């Protein structure tokens, strides 16, 4: 679970999008987080505290200005308990107060006391959002390290159309996850390839392979969460684009070659997880091929080797990670590939190992380094292996600096 063991303090402030914070509470719990909800009094006009108490299984703290209620102590204890502090929806008012250190209610006093990372999700009327004073306040918060999850554009409750809709729950969860993830790949440009390629025989048929794209998508997703600027060049794969990732869709090996080689120079790290077709039909028929009585032979011609080309053009400081999928002589073939293609790291997995391979959610791989070192982490989810691959590449880039 992505947020297992984390305590999220969720502050709900008074706007019509407050009802969406109920879904956020539920999804945060599904992701493994403990959720403590704080509401401003005006938020309770839009949605009842009971909703959040039921969803979070915790008492909701509301700003009542009730002097019998020990809020001074409570706000400090909540501030300390938070692994991450989230204000969603955040009104223009709470954003202005946060930017200027005003602490005049439960939410703002707790916010001022916390040392946890803070995620702010603005939601308000377009005019209020676009107002330079709100934008300036958000800029102030961003510069201070707050994570702002930008609102979406669309039709707003007030009837206006424009920016100001609370971001989707999935984007909010991603913002929370990013806030608790060390941004050790910040400012790095990472290009990942993933999925199979398809080589057309005619308008209805193609040659391809069983790659699902899961490993490459996991690397792209984790790199983006760790702060990298990620481009994912993907062959046809039935997977959603990971958040924070720029995706470029390609079909054939030659299209992938163009998409990757044209962007390669700008990258700090290139991870070539795609299962690229080594051959394509020498001829692609313009019309559907009709069957005849006898057998059919198809002549195949070589595709360009993208990784080998990247290896030839590698600029100083750039890191290249290749993949090898083998059915026999895994490590010999892999170390040969590492050398031939001038990689810094090669991730080798055998189709014969249980839990490893194309369609699985787990992988078992040996990491081969250019200096001859080898490492075989245990069988693990592809996301975890993705993190290990990125850790090792980061280590190599630091030792090269
Ligand atoms: N690769 C590539 N372009 C190709 C073929 C492969 O960039 N035309 C990359 C893959 O993305 C992967 C690595 O090369 O990172 C290994 O691919 P593989 O086809 O297994 O290696 P080959 O050198 O082609 O070896 P062989 O087919 O003999 O196993």
């Amino acid at each position: 679970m992505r947020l297992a063991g984390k305590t999220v303090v969720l502050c709900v402030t008074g706007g019509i999008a407050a009802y969406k914070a109920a879904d956020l509470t539920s999804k945060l719990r599904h992701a493994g987080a403990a959720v403590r909800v704080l509401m401003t009094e005006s938020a309770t006009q839009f949605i009842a505290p009971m909703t959040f108490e039921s969803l979070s299984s915790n008492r909701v703290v509301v700003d009542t200005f009730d002097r019998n209620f020990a809020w001074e102590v409570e706000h400090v204890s909540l501030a300390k308990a938070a692994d991450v502090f989230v204000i969603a929806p955040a009104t223009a008012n709470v954003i202005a107060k946060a930017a200027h250190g005003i602490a005049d209610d439960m939410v703002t006093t707790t916010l001022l006391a916390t040392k946890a990372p803070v995620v702010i999700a603005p939601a308000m009327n377009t005019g209020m959002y676009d107002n330079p004073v709100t934008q300036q306040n958000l800029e102030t918060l961003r510069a201070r390290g707050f994570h702002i999850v930008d609102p979406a554009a669309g039709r707003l409750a007030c009837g206006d159309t424009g920016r100001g809709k609370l971001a989707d729950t999935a984007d909010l969860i991603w913002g929370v996850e990013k806030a608790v993830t060390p941004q050790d790949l910040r400012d790095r440009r990472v290009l990942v390839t993933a999925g199979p390629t398809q080589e057309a025989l005619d308008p209805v048929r193609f040659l391809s392979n069983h790659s699902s794209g899961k490993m490459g998508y996991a690397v792209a997703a984790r790199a983006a969460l760790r702060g990298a600027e990620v481009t994912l060049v993907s062959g046809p794969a039935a997977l959603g684009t990971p958040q924070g990732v720029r995706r470029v869709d390609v079909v054939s090996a030659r299209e992938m070659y163009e998409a990757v080689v044209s962007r390669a120079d700008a990258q700090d790290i290139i991870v070539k997880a795609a299962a690229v077709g080594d051959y394509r039909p020498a001829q692609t028929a313009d019309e559907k091929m009709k069957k005849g009585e006898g057998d059919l032979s198809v002549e195949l011609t070589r595709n360009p080797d993208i990784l080998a080309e990247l290896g030839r053009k590698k600029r100083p400081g750039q890191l290249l990670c290749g993949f090898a999928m083998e059915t026999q002589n895994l490590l010999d073939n892999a170390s040969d590939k590492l050398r031939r293609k001038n990689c810094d790291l090669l991730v080798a997995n055998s189709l014969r190992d249980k839990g490893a391979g194309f369609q699985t959610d787990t992988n078992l791989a040996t990491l081969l380094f250019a200096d001859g070192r080898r490492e075989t982490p245990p069988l693990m989810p592809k996301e975890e292996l993705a993190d290990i691959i990125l850790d090792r590449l980061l280590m190599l880039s630091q030792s090269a600096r």
Side-chain angles (χ1 to χ4, degrees):
M1 288 199 286
R2 296 150 69 187
L3 290 167
K6 302 289 181 199
T7 296
V8 178
V9 172
L10 171 62
C11 301
V12 183
T13 65
I16 183 58
Y19 77 94
K20 295 183 181 170
D23 184 44
L24 176 61
T25 305
S26 164
K27 300 277 168 41
L28 284 168
R29 293 206 66 201
H30 285 186
V35 184
R36 306 286 302 271
V37 177
L38 267 173
M39 297 177 78
T40 58
E41 208 175 354
S42 58
T44 66
Q45 303 290 316
F46 290 94
I47 183 166
M50 177 67 94
T51 304
F52 293 105
E53 292 194 340
S54 307
L55 290 168
S56 70
S57 308
N58 275 315
R59 192 169 74 85
V60 167
V61 180
V62 181
D63 235 323
T64 58
F65 292 101
D66 175 357
R67 290 294 144 203
N68 296 323
F69 171 54
W71 64 281
E72 278 300 339
V73 178
E74 183 114 23
H75 89 264
V76 174
S77 77
L78 271 181
K80 283 185 182 155
D83 289 303
V84 53
F85 203 93
V86 182
I87 308 183
T91 57
N93 189 39
V94 79
I95 289 168
K97 287 190 202 173
H100 295 93
I102 296 170
D104 63 353
D105 61 13
M106 187 69 188
V107 166
T108 47
T109 46
T110 313
L111 175 65
L112 205 58
T114 193
K115 290 190 169 69
V118 181
V119 177
I120 292 201
M124 65 196 76
N125 162 271
T126 298
M128 293 169 83
Y129 181 71
D130 287 340
N131 192 311
V133 74
T134 304
Q135 288 302 315
Q136 200 170 13
N137 287 336
L138 285 169
E139 226 20 79
T140 302
L141 293 175
R142 210 172 262 129
R144 231 178 263 149
F146 284 47
H147 303 259
I148 313 293
V149 182
D150 293 330
R155 205 182 121 77
L156 304 175
C158 55
D160 286 354
T161 301
R163 297 188 299 171
K165 270 166 82 85
L166 183 68
D168 285 346
T169 304
D171 292 332
L172 296 175
I173 301 269
W174 190 73
V176 173
E177 223 185 326
K178 196 157 190 272
V180 295
T181 305
Q183 298 296 287
D184 54 0
L185 290 173
R186 195 199 312 265
D187 300 331
R188 309 269 179 156
R189 277 158 303 177
V190 177
L191 186 144
V192 182
T193 71
T197 59
Q198 291 178 356
E199 311 297 329
L201 272 159
D202 70 8
V204 292
R205 304 177 182 94
F206 55 81
L207 298 179
S208 191
N209 57 63
H210 293 295
S211 170
S212 62
K214 285 179 182 168
M215 190 65 235
Y217 274 61
V219 173
R222 297 303 307 174
L225 255 186
R226 291 167 64 162
E229 197 184 301
V230 183
T231 306
L232 172 64
V233 178
S234 175
L239 297 171
T241 307
Q243 270 137 326
V245 167
R246 193 181 320 118
R247 171 165 152 185
V248 179
D249 285 318
V250 297
V251 176
S252 67
R254 283 185 297 174
E255 282 174 27
M256 186 172 279
Y257 179 92
E258 288 302 324
V260 172
V261 171
S262 63
R263 291 173 173 84
D265 221 30
Q267 308 302 323
D268 299 306
I269 295 173
I270 302 180
V271 179
K272 282 239 60 215
V276 186
D278 287 324
Y279 296 92
R280 66 178 182 278
Q283 309 287 337
T284 302
D286 288 335
E287 305 298 336
K288 185 186 168 197
M289 289 160 65
K290 304 300 282 181
K291 63 179 166 298
E293 288 306 317
D295 294 339
L296 172 71
S297 299
V298 177
E299 191 189 337
L300 300 178
T301 188
R302 275 293 302 266
N303 272 329
D305 190 318
I306 308 166
L307 185 56
E309 177 69 8
L310 296 174
R312 275 190 290 276
K313 290 192 163 158
K314 192 163 66 169
R315 58 168 176 75
Q318 188 178 53
L319 290 172
L320 204 52
C321 170
F323 274 69
M325 163 72 79
E326 306 284 350
T327 56
Q328 55 185 344
N329 301 331
L330 175 67
L331 296 181
D332 286 348
N333 282 334
S335 68
D336 182 51
K337 249 169 232 181
L338 173 89
R339 213 172 19 78
R340 268 193 295 117
K341 302 196 186 192
N342 195 20
C343 294
D344 301 281
L345 175 64
L346 197 120
V347 182
N349 40 139
S350 165
L351 204 54
R352 301 277 181 242
D353 284 326
K354 206 167 172 298
F358 281 137
Q359 301 287 336
T360 57
D361 290 326
T362 53
N363 208 353
L364 179 64
T366 297
L367 275 47
L368 292 91
F369 296 85
D371 65 4
R373 272 180 307 131
R374 288 179 185 180
E375 176 185 356
T376 306
L379 180 73
M380 57 176 62
K382 285 182 172 167
E383 272 72 25
E384 280 176 40
L385 183 62
D387 265 334
I388 292 185
I389 293 167
L390 292 166
D391 287 347
R392 300 304 176 264
L393 288 166
L394 187 59
M395 227 165 58
L396 290 174
S397 81
Q398 281 159 350
S399 58
R401 275 183 177 184

